[in-house]
Amino acid sequence: MTNSWTDLQNSRCFLIAGSNCAENHPIAMRWINRARDKGAKIIVVDPRFTRTASQADIFAQIRPGTDIAYLGAIIRHILVNKLYDKDYVLNYTNALYKVSKGYKFDAGLFSGFDAKGKKYSIDTWGYQLGPDNKPLKADSLEDPDTVFAKLQEHFSRYTFDKAEKITGIPAAKIKEIADTFCQAKPATILYALGMTQHTTAVQGIRSYAIIQLLLGNVGKAGGGINALRGEPNVQGSTDMANLFNSLPGYLPAPIGTDKTLRDYLVRNGSIQEKPLVALLKAWFGQSATKENDYCFNYLPKYNLSVNASMVRIFDLMNKGQFKLLINIGSNSLVSIPNRQMVRAGLAKLDMLVVSDLFEIETAQFWREPGVNPAEIKTEVILLPAAFVYEKDGSLTNSGRWIQWKDAALKPLGESKPDLEVLDSLFRRVRQLYQGSTDPKDEPVLKARWDYGQEPSALKVLQEISGYDETTGKLLPTLADYLKAPAGSVSTGCWIYTGVTGNGNLAARRKNGDPSGLGLFKDWSYAWPANIRILYNRASCDANGQPVDPERKLVWWDPVARVWSGNDGPDVVDKTKGPDTPEGKQSFRMNPEGVGRLFAAKYTSGMPVTPPADNLSPIGLRPAGLCVDGPLPEFYEPVESPTSNLLHSEVSSNPLVVIPATVPGIQKVGKPEDFPYVLTTYGVVEHFCAGGVTRNIPVLNELMPGPFAEISKNLAQKIGAQDGDTVEVASARGKLRVRCLVTDRLQTYKVNGKDTETIGIPWGWGFASLSPGPGANELTIGALDPGAGTPEYKACLVNIRRV
Amino acid sequence: MTRKMVLADTSKCTGCKACTVACKEWNQLPAEKTQLVRSYQSMRTFTPDTWTFVSFDENYSGSQMHWLMRKAQCFHCADPACLKACTSKAISKTGSGYVVIDADLCIGCGYCAENCPFGVPKVDDQKKKAFKCTGCIDRVENNLKPMCVQTCQTGALEFGERDELMAKAKKRLAEVKGKYPKALLYGEKEMGGMTHSYILLDSPEAYGLPSNPAAPLALTLWKDIIRPVGTVAVGGAAAAVVFGILGNALRGNYGPPESGKGGKE
Amino acid sequence: MAVERLKVEGQVAEGKVLRFTGGERFSHWLHVVSFFMLLFTGLGVFTAGFHPLMSLVGGLQIARLIHRVVAVIFVLGAGAMFFIGDSRYHRDWLRSAFSFSEADKKHIKAFTAEFFGGHAAYPPQDKYNGGEKINSLLTICGSAVITVSGLVMWFAPNFPAGLVDWAYPLHDLAMFVMTAAVIGHIYLSLIHPGSRASISGMLTGYVPEDFAKAHHAVWYEQAAENKSVAK
């Protein structure tokens, strides 16, 4: 979230698309309803009429995976009708920046496409640079070289009619959505997995970014782009690097070619030096010195050509790549798409360790109906895990609030908190390595691991928050970290710096809200630096004064010559006023200092003259990139009932990844055999893969089993009635489930042809008190090329009554 | 205690069913085996162990979908039919407006269940007692909100003083009518004024509720006419016998015992 | 043979006339016993004030159980009377309860005065006088209503809710009617000096000949005419 849950109350319009927050984030509705009480409008775009849709002023049923088509039409509408916030666009985005002359988009492909390697060479996606290596800026938006012109050109194809033909949403309704959303300020966009679980995931969110930047909604109370994170601590685990390609605090993970720290900085910019060194100090303490490159060589390096994200891991498991899997806090056999691949993969392991509250499906994959246990060689160990209320620690919510909690109960029976399990595991492993002189064992032997005899979660958070390594004292604030020279401080995750600096700020529970804007800045601690609304500099005009008098976040105090406000100012330097280059920056984490309508290749601070010793130059800060294009483009899901209306020859994402090490393990179906679109989702009554909730009788009572939701037309077509059993099949698997006939799904037209969507929740499996088939029997493990997220939300199936 | 009220603003209900779980937890009610009834509704009706549930009704017309969700529970009527029907004095009304069943007095006859226009009380055949929502009177009397209200995240349930909350409900109704012209306030006057009231988005029938709920005519006839008249009649018969004995005695009919003749002078 | 003849209604022996056969008396007393048990246990269910009394039968739930068991006996007993003993007397009684002659009507008019110990003229009566016929009618109708409504209440889920609603007041109504009637009936049969002689009819089957002549002259004459008189 750029903003926070409590900030939702400030919005005047919500575009909830790719999120069923009433279902999956019920708490969101509390704050949304406060906004509604003040007249806010709710727009819901979803493949189904959901619980959230029941609250909507405007609802549009969309064909799964086609969001970019209607969002593109909204962008075009904004551009054509000049509905954008001109001051904002000029001052706070890269609209005026001149794009490299070589940049092109044609027939579904951006310039630089390498068809053989299925990737882009992105050199043409940059800016025209001046002699100082800084981007050239045009004088006006009319200049044909500008980002703005490229935007206009790119989205000119996205008419309402075209969008209707692709998405199935009537053109008039898309226009109504566009008008409603553009007229309300501030307006916010809420999304979750409905937007990210596609092979066009990153570009879908990019579309949101473009809309919100054009409308000037980012950095403002009631605005922003709000990713609603799932489990209470998804945000926290992402912050702590649960992805293979990052280190804590979103530092890029080193790759095989990063032999030294300097190599790493060449790729990632000098800006990463301090946080990476601080991280290495946190992990290896006194062993990390300038002389030994701060133990940089201890870090594992990943292989860019493998990109071992979740699905890929299970794919490789099928090839026998892994001997041991430690599976904690995930019911992989239920939650991973095309679960046959998971089941087959687990059987190739020597040992599987599952830590959970119950004997979840993953832990008993060997006795799933239809599997012969005698043929499974994998040894399975189940560790009893303590429940969330049985352990101390912090959870970071979607609004980046790090919230401490104490254990409320003693762990039941022999169950143990994860920290205790990992702590004893590590210590025993280290014991096994004791005395080794093999250099590859050094990371284990030299790791700083001092969380106490009985490991303390607070000590872990303190390590994350950071120490002054010269004194051994806690680092008081983020500012102290920023001031300190590299190598003198440690932080386990630099963005969390200061959370325990002056006492455990995460444990703060003062709910005063003097501004009335829901900032609650004395409640817990938000990263970074307790800033509740990111990019809030953009809520001010060029002179540093709030644009919205009712929602004042921060301002430049010309008398005291300092940035101050109700929220912590998100500025480079609080003493640098709006008349300085630093004081103009509203998006300080981007190398340009502005919001990026066009995701250009760019590194700030590149020296004009290369280093004399023939080394590669090190820039300051490289821009984040989208591997599949600097602008969002609509591509069909991998399995789609139609070909791409914009460019049929490049129908789905040209960079899409479909892991299939073992041939035939990830079949792709054709619309002739599988004419209907399947979308998958969770239900409020159960949580995620149901490992816990399906073992709780009062929850099973509320939602006793899975179902397939179908329209009345489809029900008639297959001769099924509500409550009948239907068989739903994809190219990868099939399942039998109760059919739920509903008006909440309607037949829609795609390019003139009647089309049906079927919905099946995914959180069921063969074990627990409420066993039942889950939708991942059917889904496809096709991945977004940038994020590696699988396309859970759209695939093709057939259905018949049993 | 002053009259309390729980307002369920169905325009804010998303059917998350947290109220149902909260009720079961607080009142330590066991889960039951269910299956989907219709839409996302899994509980068909009240049972001795299910005192509240959410009903789901899908209304699709003119390409507009209305998904009506309503938390069903005892309304705690000011003029409760169950109380009237109870022959055991087990049901009583509190000053705060709650209608409660005293399990010690309840004999499980089920007359309350038969006569409630909403089918709320249910008799447990094993325990031989009727059960229903207590309104969390145990919490309310200790200045806590009812558990369902405490749990509701969306703001659909609100608890407060009846006068204040009813005024607020009317104001809210006016807002809701903008989007739902058929919206109405249910519970202000129904059954003498109910402690649990609704802002409904459609007619009561659309939610499976009676438009004009009333105690059954049979109950009124029974309790207001037959009972008193019958009691008087039996008393009258007894009194007549006393007078008969007196009359015979005064006339000396009980003279010398001469069985068979007494009646004839 | 002789025994059989003696049992025939209207037999006069030693100044006594046989009014009720064994079968009739059995039906009556079965009805009496079950009625009072039902009344007692029913009051426990119907009225809070009677709850404490239910400890006499082992508690309220036992009382409810007894109520159901006895209800079955009550109903089966009423049915059985047409099959046990001389069932034709039961049929005669039923028929008579629904046929009111002029003489009956006059008896009913005189009933109030008679009840309170006064006297009013009325023509000679049959085996059952007008007042008794009223009592019979109330018993028959009351039993029917209370049986049907009770069945509906017992098996409520099998009946429409509207019907169940009405079963309660009707059950209660029938109870009141029969209770009021039984109070008068007991008075007349045990306490009222003019008619208490009739109790022997229900106890032994025989009533004094004088009583029969005085109260049921028509029946007595007919009986005397039709039957041989053994003296």
Side-chain angles (χ1 to χ4, degrees):
Chain A
M1 272 181 152
T2 54
N3 297 33
S4 70
W5 297 109
T6 52
D7 173 66
L8 298 178
Q9 63 182 315
N10 297 314
S11 190
R12 295 201 52 229
C13 185
F14 296 86
L15 173 60
I16 307 176
S19 156
N20 182 2
C21 53
E23 189 98 44
N24 298 305
H25 304 91
I27 190 72
M29 294 314 295
R30 168 189 293 249
W31 305 101
I32 292 171
N33 278 341
R34 292 201 183 171
R36 274 167 93 199
D37 284 346
K38 294 180 265 181
K41 291 270 181 280
I42 298 183
I43 304 164
V44 172
V45 179
D46 202 286
R48 301 174 302 133
F49 189 97
T50 59
R51 280 176 155 113
T52 311
S54 75
Q55 306 291 301
D57 296 286
I58 302 172
F59 167 72
Q61 184 186 325
I62 187 173
R63 173 161 68 93
T66 62
D67 304 75
I68 292 171
Y70 91 91
L71 294 172
I74 292 175
I75 294 171
R76 179 179 176 275
H77 183 71
I78 294 170
L79 295 171
V80 168
N81 298 293
K82 298 194 175 1
L83 299 173
Y84 48 86
D85 180 335
K86 196 169 175 192
D87 285 343
Y88 192 102
V89 167
L90 290 177
N91 292 319
Y92 302 144
T93 75
N94 63 355
L96 282 175
Y97 288 45
K98 288 187 172 185
V99 175
S100 191
K101 292 277 187 196
Y103 166 77
K104 229 172 58 206
F105 176 82
D106 186 35
L109 294 169
F110 293 92
S111 47
F113 184 63
D114 163 14
K116 205 162 144 258
K118 275 185 75 173
K119 63 180 186 199
Y120 282 107
S121 150
I122 61 169
D123 292 333
T124 57
W125 301 359
Y127 298 120
Q128 299 176 27
L129 299 179
D132 55 356
N133 268 345
K134 286 188 176 163
L136 292 177
K137 281 169 77 175
D139 298 328
S140 86
L141 294 174
E142 318 299 319
D143 189 310
D145 276 355
T146 58
V147 159
F148 195 77
K150 301 297 170 199
L151 208 60
Q152 283 176 314
E153 189 190 336
H154 187 81
F155 287 103
S156 62
R157 297 165 296 137
Y158 289 77
T159 61
F160 286 137
D161 284 338
K162 198 69 124 194
E164 170 178 328
K165 287 198 173 79
I166 295 171
T167 62
I169 310 172
K173 186 154 254 175
I174 303 174
K175 184 173 183 304
E176 187 190 2
I177 292 170
D179 284 334
T180 308
F181 192 76
C182 294
Q183 277 159 20
K185 295 275 178 70
T188 187
I189 298 177
L190 311 187
Y191 75 91
L193 307 180
M195 203 62 186
T196 59
Q197 293 179 336
H198 292 288
T199 48
T200 52
V202 173
Q203 297 294 5
I205 311 308
R206 282 281 300 140
S207 308
Y208 285 168
I210 291 170
I211 291 173
Q212 289 296 66
L213 286 172
L214 287 174
L215 295 173
N217 275 328
V218 183
K220 294 183 175 168
I225 304 164
N226 292 304
L228 311 184
R229 312 304 307 263
E231 284 198 59
N233 209 16
V234 161
Q235 182 67 49
S237 62
T238 316
D239 297 342
M240 296 303 143
N242 69 354
L243 293 177
F244 71 96
N245 58 358
S246 69
L247 293 174
Y250 303 95
L251 304 180
I255 59 173
T257 52
D258 295 335
K259 301 293 181 205
T260 63
L261 179 57
R262 191 175 193 289
D263 294 339
Y264 174 85
L265 298 181
V266 167
R267 274 199 322 120
N268 301 305
S270 59
I271 192 79
Q272 307 294 17
E273 181 175 7
K274 192 193 263 181
L276 186 74
V277 169
L279 179 67
L280 290 165
K281 290 293 286 184
W283 286 354
F284 301 107
Q286 300 306 320
S287 302
T289 62
K290 190 168 170 48
E291 291 65 39
N292 67 4
D293 229 4
Y294 299 103
C295 300
F296 178 79
N297 63 326
Y298 288 178
L299 292 178
K301 318 287 191 289
Y302 78 95
N303 184 341
L304 270 180
S305 64
V306 175
N307 282 343
S309 64
M310 176 187 77
V311 176
R312 194 85 173 109
I313 287 174
F314 285 91
D315 175 43
L316 292 171
M317 209 176 283
N318 276 276
K319 216 176 71 176
Q321 177 101 20
F322 299 95
K323 288 190 184 316
L324 167 67
L325 174 69
I326 299 182
N327 187 103
I328 299 185
S330 159
N331 194 356
S332 309
L333 190 57
V334 171
S335 63
I336 291 174
N338 187 16
R339 55 181 290 274
Q340 292 89 325
M341 185 187 73
V342 179
R343 190 172 53 208
L346 293 175
K348 296 273 191 333
L349 294 168
D350 288 353
M351 185 189 277
L352 167 66
V353 180
V354 176
S355 173
D356 216 294
L357 269 67
F358 295 93
E359 192 181 2
I360 54 173
E361 281 81 1
T362 310
Q364 46 179 312
F365 77 97
W366 51 275
R367 61 172 172 208
E368 175 170 355
V371 172
N372 180 5
E375 289 168 11
I376 309 275
K377 302 277 177 275
T378 313
E379 182 169 3
V380 182
I381 294 174
L382 177 64
L383 302 177
F387 198 32
V388 61
Y389 308 112
E390 297 170 338
K391 49 196 180 190
D392 298 327
S394 72
L395 299 163
T396 306
N397 77 4
S398 279
R400 297 163 283 103
W401 298 10
I402 307 157
Q403 304 190 92
W404 182 266
K405 62 167 179 60
D406 294 320
L409 299 163
K410 277 205 162 64
L412 195 67
E414 292 184 298
S415 58
K416 288 189 171 31
D418 300 331
L419 177 58
E420 215 177 307
V421 171
L422 295 174
D423 179 71
S424 63
L425 188 63
F426 178 81
R427 290 205 263 180
R428 285 194 207 183
V429 167
R430 175 135 79 182
Q431 241 166 33
L432 295 173
Y433 281 99
Q434 219 52 261
S436 166
T437 50
D438 191 338
K440 79 171 166 48
D441 299 339
E442 280 181 17
V444 176
L445 291 169
K446 297 213 168 144
R448 183 156 83 183
W449 194 278
D450 49 1
Y451 310 114
Q453 200 49 42
E454 295 224 334
S456 143
L458 182 61
K459 281 200 168 158
V460 176
L461 188 61
Q462 285 171 336
E463 176 185 293
I464 289 168
S465 177
Y467 289 98
D468 179 337
E469 289 295 323
T470 59
T471 64
K473 290 196 172 132
L474 290 163
L475 267 181
T477 66
L478 182 62
D480 294 301
Y481 158 83
L482 293 171
K483 277 195 303 232
S488 68
V489 291
S490 67
T491 66
C493 178
W494 74 277
I495 52 177
Y496 279 52
T497 305
V499 59
T500 59
N502 290 309
N504 184 359
L505 301 185
R508 293 188 301 176
R509 288 295 182 273
K510 285 188 194 148
N511 62 355
D513 183 28
S515 67
L517 293 172
L519 294 166
F520 299 106
K521 60 184 191 151
D522 294 323
W523 179 285
S524 74
Y525 179 85
W527 70 258
N530 209 25
I531 293 170
R532 303 285 159 146
I533 295 180
L534 291 180
Y535 318 118
N536 57 31
R537 164 67 183 87
S539 69
C540 295
D541 59 17
N543 299 320
Q545 296 312 308
V547 177
D548 184 345
E550 287 175 29
R551 299 173 181 82
K552 291 186 188 174
L553 291 174
V554 297
W555 52 85
W556 171 251
D557 183 339
V559 182
R561 295 206 58 78
V562 70
W563 285 96
S564 61
N566 294 316
D567 195 4
D570 191 0
V571 293
V572 180
D573 184 335
K574 279 189 191 174
T575 62
K576 298 274 170 66
D579 46 349
T580 65
E582 292 89 344
K584 287 185 181 11
Q585 289 193 20
S586 48
F587 294 85
R588 59 177 164 139
M589 297 303 285
N590 285 339
E592 304 93 328
V594 293
R596 290 151 56 84
L597 294 167
F598 183 95
K601 180 194 178 195
Y602 175 62
T603 301
S604 63
M606 286 303 281
V608 179
T609 46
D613 46 6
N614 249 348
L615 292 169
S616 308
I618 300 177
L620 177 66
R621 188 196 291 271
L625 290 169
C626 302
V627 296
D628 50 355
L631 289 174
E633 176 63 10
F634 165 69
Y635 297 108
E636 287 287 345
V638 167
E639 283 190 342
S640 157
T642 178
S643 76
N644 196 318
L645 271 185
L646 296 173
H647 27 72
S648 58
E649 61 284 8
V650 187
S651 198
S652 57
N653 192 328
L655 267 60
V656 75
V657 179
I658 306 177
T661 309
V662 178
I665 204 162
Q666 198 87 254
K667 288 190 201 123
V668 179
K670 292 192 168 55
E672 301 85 76
D673 307 320
F674 303 99
Y676 308 115
V677 182
L678 174 76
T679 193
T680 68
Y681 43 86
V683 291
V684 69
E685 294 87 346
H686 286 288
F687 186 65
C688 291
V692 172
T693 56
R694 279 187 283 115
N695 284 303
I696 298 180
V698 285
L699 297 178
N700 289 335
E701 183 183 23
L702 301 181
M703 190 50 85
F707 48 82
E709 290 184 276
I710 61 173
S711 76
K712 284 186 174 162
N713 284 345
L714 182 54
Q716 198 176 22
K717 199 163 163 184
I718 64 169
Q721 297 199 326
D722 194 67
D724 285 352
T725 301
V726 288
E727 182 180 276
V728 185
S730 76
R732 296 156 296 282
K734 61 186 174 190
L735 55 80
R736 285 182 177 195
V737 76
R738 177 192 176 91
C739 122
L740 197 163
V741 181
T742 178
D743 275 323
R744 292 179 296 101
L745 277 165
Q746 292 289 327
T747 310
Y748 52 94
K749 287 207 187 305
V750 171
N751 201 16
K753 193 170 156 250
D754 278 352
T755 310
E756 297 280 356
T757 297
I758 297 171
I760 301 182
W762 62 270
W764 266 271
F766 60 88
S768 82
L769 297 179
S770 167
N776 285 324
E777 207 75 57
L778 308 168
T779 48
I780 185 167
L783 311 183
D784 176 86
T789 312
E791 194 153 59
Y792 287 100
K793 297 296 185 190
C795 72
L796 290 180
V797 294
N798 205 348
I799 185 169
R800 68 182 178 91
R801 193 175 79 102
V802 179
Chain B
M1 213 173 204
T2 48
R3 185 100 198 263
K4 299 289 186 273
M5 173 171 164
V6 172
L7 176 67
D9 180 351
T10 63
S11 74
K12 289 183 177 174
C13 176
T14 59
C16 75
K17 307 180 187 172
C19 47
T20 310
V21 178
C23 175
K24 291 235 161 181
E25 291 291 307
W26 179 257
N27 294 299
Q28 302 188 336
L29 301 171
E32 297 175 282
K33 186 99 189 114
T34 61
Q35 60 170 345
L36 284 182
V37 178
R38 63 172 182 278
S39 194
Y40 283 8
Q41 182 175 338
S42 64
M43 290 152 162
R44 189 178 298 277
T45 180
F46 300 101
T47 75
D49 292 328
T50 297
W51 300 350
T52 186
F53 64 92
V54 182
S55 70
F56 290 75
D57 289 281
E58 297 184 1
N59 275 4
Y60 184 75
S61 61
S63 76
Q64 271 288 323
M65 178 75 210
H66 286 161
W67 201 1
L68 305 176
M69 298 153 190
R70 174 178 71 89
K71 175 192 175 292
Q73 77 293 306
C74 174
F75 284 100
H76 298 279
C77 311
D79 202 358
C82 59
L83 188 154
K84 192 169 204 172
C86 181
T87 53
S88 304
K89 292 196 162 61
I91 302 185
S92 59
K93 231 168 56 175
T94 69
S96 45
Y98 287 94
V99 179
V100 287
I101 301 177
D102 183 337
D104 289 340
L105 295 178
C106 176
I107 61 166
C109 66
Y111 302 161
C112 53
E114 287 302 335
N115 283 286
C116 171
F118 310 102
V120 171
K122 294 286 173 189
V123 176
D124 183 317
D125 284 333
Q126 253 68 56
K127 295 181 188 147
K128 306 277 186 211
K129 304 278 175 197
F131 292 95
K132 71 167 192 71
C133 160
T134 64
C136 281
I137 187 77
D138 46 347
R139 294 175 58 87
V140 170
E141 287 188 345
N142 289 291
N143 296 315
L144 294 167
K145 293 173 181 178
M147 205 60 206
C148 52
V149 180
Q150 179 72 37
T151 304
C152 181
Q153 296 303 326
T154 65
L157 296 179
E158 222 178 315
F159 172 77
E161 297 295 321
R162 189 165 203 272
D163 297 344
E164 291 166 26
L165 205 46
M166 195 53 86
K168 195 172 168 187
K170 285 177 182 166
K171 212 169 131 243
R172 173 68 187 160
L173 176 66
E175 291 165 20
V176 171
K177 267 182 179 285
K179 194 171 153 200
Y180 300 95
K182 283 200 246 171
L184 55 93
L185 188 54
Y186 191 82
E188 187 193 9
K189 302 213 169 63
E190 285 76 7
M191 300 300 287
M194 310 193 292
T195 300
H196 272 260
S197 298
Y198 291 131
I199 289 175
L200 298 178
L201 307 181
D202 205 332
S203 67
E205 283 81 4
Y207 288 89
L209 287 170
S211 255
N212 295 301
L217 177 62
L219 178 64
T220 312
L221 187 75
W222 175 24
K223 289 296 186 151
D224 293 348
I225 299 174
I226 293 179
R227 243 318 139 95
V229 171
T231 308
V232 168
V234 170
V241 167
V242 172
F243 281 113
I245 293 169
L246 278 174
N248 277 302
L250 286 174
R251 282 168 224 234
N253 293 345
Y254 286 110
E258 250 188 280
S259 70
K261 288 219 160 178
K264 292 278 182 188
E265 316 218 353
Chain C
M1 265 305 251
V3 175
E4 186 59 40
R5 284 180 60 82
L6 263 176
K7 288 221 167 137
V8 174
E9 181 195 278
Q11 289 283 354
V12 180
E14 294 164 14
K16 288 180 177 179
V17 185
L18 181 66
R19 190 172 178 210
F20 297 115
T21 63
E24 283 173 287
R25 279 177 281 144
F26 179 76
S27 298
H28 177 266
W29 289 115
L30 187 68
H31 184 81
V32 170
V33 172
S34 55
F35 177 80
F36 279 104
M37 285 176 79
L38 286 168
L39 182 64
F40 180 74
T41 53
L43 282 173
V45 179
F46 254 43
T47 312
F50 284 85
H51 285 186
L53 275 181
M54 294 306 122
S55 56
L56 291 177
V57 295
L60 227 151
Q61 296 307 337
I62 309 273
R64 294 183 67 196
L65 186 68
I66 292 172
H67 195 79
R68 280 167 163 78
V69 171
V70 176
V72 174
I73 295 169
F74 180 81
V75 173
L76 291 184
M81 68 184 192
F82 295 100
F83 301 99
I84 52 174
D86 258 318
S87 61
R88 69 186 160 102
Y89 296 116
H90 287 115
R91 288 198 293 276
D92 289 346
W93 164 69
L94 256 186
R95 212 176 297 121
S96 78
F98 288 95
S99 59
F100 280 81
S101 64
E102 276 307 309
D104 292 335
K105 287 172 191 163
K106 284 184 178 142
H107 179 267
I108 292 163
K109 273 184 193 156
F111 181 78
T112 315
E114 289 282 337
F115 189 90
F116 293 107
H119 178 66
Y122 57 85
Q125 297 289 300
D126 204 339
K127 179 177 176 183
Y128 300 103
N129 63 35
E132 283 169 333
K133 283 183 178 186
I134 293 284
N135 184 51
S136 297
L137 258 187
L138 292 178
T139 304
I140 292 162
C141 296
S143 297
V145 170
I146 214 158
T147 300
V148 172
S149 58
L151 262 173
V152 172
M153 288 158 71
W154 191 348
F155 302 103
N158 303 308
F159 294 97
L163 193 66
V164 179
D165 286 350
W166 284 97
Y168 297 111
L170 289 175
H171 205 70
D172 217 18
L173 178 70
M175 179 274 287
F176 280 124
V177 168
M178 289 201 289
T179 304
V182 86
I183 289 171
H185 186 65
I186 291 168
Y187 164 66
L188 290 170
S189 55
L190 291 179
I191 303 167
H192 191 280
S195 61
R196 62 183 167 182
S198 65
I199 186 66
S200 64
M202 258 316 152
L203 292 173
T204 63
Y206 292 92
V207 290
E209 206 170 348
D210 296 351
F211 174 83
K213 279 181 193 159
H215 287 260
H216 304 281
V218 177
W219 168 69
Y220 178 76
E221 295 304 329
Q222 257 177 7
E225 214 169 278
N226 291 347
K227 319 284 174 193
S228 57
V229 176
K231 204 165 187 184

